[in-house]
Amino acid sequence: MVRRVLSLTTGRIAVAVLVAVALLALLGPLLAPQNPLGTSDDTLAAVSGSHWLGTDYLGRDVLSRLLAGSRISVLGSLEVAVTALVVGVVPGILSVQLGRVFEWITLRLADTLVALPFLLFAVAVVALLGNGITQAMLVTGVLVSPLFYRVARAATLSVTRSQYVEAAVISGASTGWIVRRHVWAKVLPPIAVALAQTVGVGFVIVSSLTFLGIGVQPPAPTWGGLLASDLGYLSRRPWAPLAPALLITVTVWACNLLADAVRDVSGEAGRALVNDRRARANRAGGGRTGDGRTGSDRSGGDRTDDRTARADRPGSAGPITSGGA
């Protein structure tokens, strides 16, 4: 699947953007030209050689804070996606395999989580457990998990009704063996699409919470926190929110683009894509067959052989010639 995704232009663009964001998360604090927490008297400074994106209302270098805050934003979105994946996929698959009681309980829990407003619930949990990004993201991941539950359940239902799974059940195969051997390979593509989309949703959630000052202890830098601090001084620096807003937008766009690419190369669409590329490769290669002749040469030769065979049949009038006897 990875090769198919990279064979698409959209897949390559999405992977390139996400790799760049991952490098920012890994190397951003090391690449920061100045101390992201260091204040100075040069407040709300314009773009200059020493401050490429200017300074904020406390004189802190904006570029350094943007680079240092990328790690918290990326890790927070990954915590949301991984928590939702673990909490949602396993019950979604087992709800089809473990009978009506477990299915009914998990469906009611999924409906309950969907009804809860994640932002308000995250605020309440942070108020109880303390203002930390990990607590907020774990709670948010649990509230987002019904997406994975429904995707995994729908894919498992379609596989369970197939004849080879029914044959495995009749032959006495265990539930774990059926899930590992038959179900997981079919469920993985839609889960990969949901995971890519959830990472993008995680960026929006992290940015929203940090924009409100939830989950991060100040003065720790985050993309949402930078956006919030810049909005208070638009009269002095109207261009300041563009940098964090552009990073958030491009990252979410790349996650959605990757989800579309994974969807396009998986299942029936993926097989159609492979067959179409093989046909294009055959046409680009001149349509040569195994004996070295092109398709036109083979068809022309076949027509000549057919006319010769008809002429050699008993009772045949022979080849048609122009003119009379």
Side-chain angles (χ1 to χ4, degrees), residues 43-70:
T43 59
L44 300 177
V47 177
S48 63
S50 57
H51 303 288
W52 288 9
L53 293 178
T55 60
D56 63 2
Y57 64 99
L58 293 177
R60 297 172 296 192
D61 184 63
V62 174
L63 177 60
S64 300
R65 291 181 61 78
L66 199 66
L67 293 174
S70 58

Side-chain angles (χ1 to χ4, degrees), residues 132-147:
I133 190 69
T134 301
Q135 299 94 301
M137 294 305 100
L138 290 179
V139 172
T140 306
V142 172
L143 296 178
V144 177
S145 62
L147 169 65

Side-chain angles (χ1 to χ4, degrees), residues 70-83:
S70 58
R71 179 173 296 178
I72 296 177
S73 300
V74 172
L75 290 179
S77 64
L78 291 179
E79 286 179 4
V80 172
V82 172
T83 304

Side-chain angles (χ1 to χ4, degrees), residues 204-218:
V204 176
I205 293 173
V206 172
S207 301
S208 301
L209 293 177
T210 54
F211 180 85
L212 298 175
I214 300 171
V216 177
Q217 295 288 348

